[in-house]
Amino acid sequence: APATAPGADAPVPDEARLRAMTARFVPVDIGADVSVLPESERRALVKMIEAARVLDGLYLRQVWAGSEALLFELLADPSPLGQARLHAFLVNKGPWSQLDHQAPFLPGVPAKPEAANFYPAGATKAEVEAWMKARPEAERTAAAGFFTTIRRTPKGMLTAVPYSVEYQGELARAAELLREAAAATTQPTLKAFL
């Protein structure tokens, strides 16, 4: 019988159940004949795909602070159950089932944080709202923006951290790859976009 995850109401799925859960996602081959593209455009496309992979990893950090450590743990388990867990994690972009009301499907995983990893773990809505209310209007506007996370300082106080700081490494790498793509393409509109 499947084990029960700490703090979860439902049992943790076994290998067969995980495979059945992920089978609900039907793989679809999406392709394009890139052989007709000039070499410059193929080079640009490769760089754009590499940048997208960087941003995919960044997304995992945004979903939950524990995503990266859990992913490395899953990658280290070559057992059939471990591979089923890894596949389910990758399909769902985290340890919660997208088709089962965000139920955790791995042992030891908490309920999906309502605020994802945009706010500090353990911060209450009331605490964040009080902190926001106490900010001057310009700071409050910046903190409530779409490209800001809220973190705790070493002294435990809340502070706004722009994405450009929070995700500096990933954004710098993605930007570098997109600049390389822009340099490779001969299409003026794509070059300007990138």
Side-chain angles (χ1 to χ4, degrees):
T4 300
D9 295 336
V12 175
D14 60 13
E15 180 189 351
R17 178 71 186 125
L18 277 172
R19 292 193 187 284
M21 289 169 66
T22 56
R24 295 177 295 175
F25 292 90
V26 179
V28 176
D29 288 329
I30 300 174
D33 182 6
V34 296
S35 67
V36 298
L37 292 175
E39 177 60 29
S40 61
E41 304 316 302
R42 285 190 300 234
R43 281 195 319 271
L45 182 59
V46 166
K47 295 299 180 180
M48 288 185 279
I49 291 169
E50 288 178 29
R53 287 185 177 135
V54 170
L55 296 178
D56 196 48
L58 187 151
Y59 175 77
L60 281 178
R61 283 184 57 201
Q62 290 177 326
V63 169
W64 178 47
S67 292
E68 289 176 301
L70 183 54
L71 176 58
F72 285 119
E73 187 179 311
L74 294 170
L75 287 167
D77 184 354
S79 72
L81 175 59
Q83 292 303 296
R85 286 176 170 170
L86 174 62
H87 181 64
F89 180 93
L90 294 173
V91 165
N92 286 281
K93 297 292 185 202
W96 301 279
S97 175
Q98 301 290 321
L99 299 179
D100 298 303
H101 310 288
Q102 304 300 337
F105 55 79
L106 295 174
V109 172
K112 187 173 184 183
E114 190 175 315
N117 192 26
F118 297 108
Y119 297 93
T124 65
K125 183 176 181 179
E127 178 186 18
V128 173
E129 286 175 348
W131 175 80
M132 291 285 275
K133 190 175 184 180
R135 307 275 57 80
E137 186 175 344
E139 282 183 40
R140 188 171 48 249
T141 300
F146 288 114
F147 304 106
T148 305
T149 62
I150 307 299
R151 295 291 177 246
R152 289 201 187 278
T153 66
K155 293 183 179 182
M157 305 298 295
L158 296 178
T159 188
V161 180
Y163 277 17
S164 59
V165 174
E166 179 78 15
Y167 307 117
Q168 184 176 13
E170 292 95 332
L171 294 176
R173 179 64 181 143
E176 176 186 8
L177 290 164
L178 293 176
R179 281 192 286 278
E180 290 174 15
T185 186
T186 60
Q187 300 299 312
T189 56
L190 180 57
K191 187 179 287 286
F193 175 75
L194 293 170

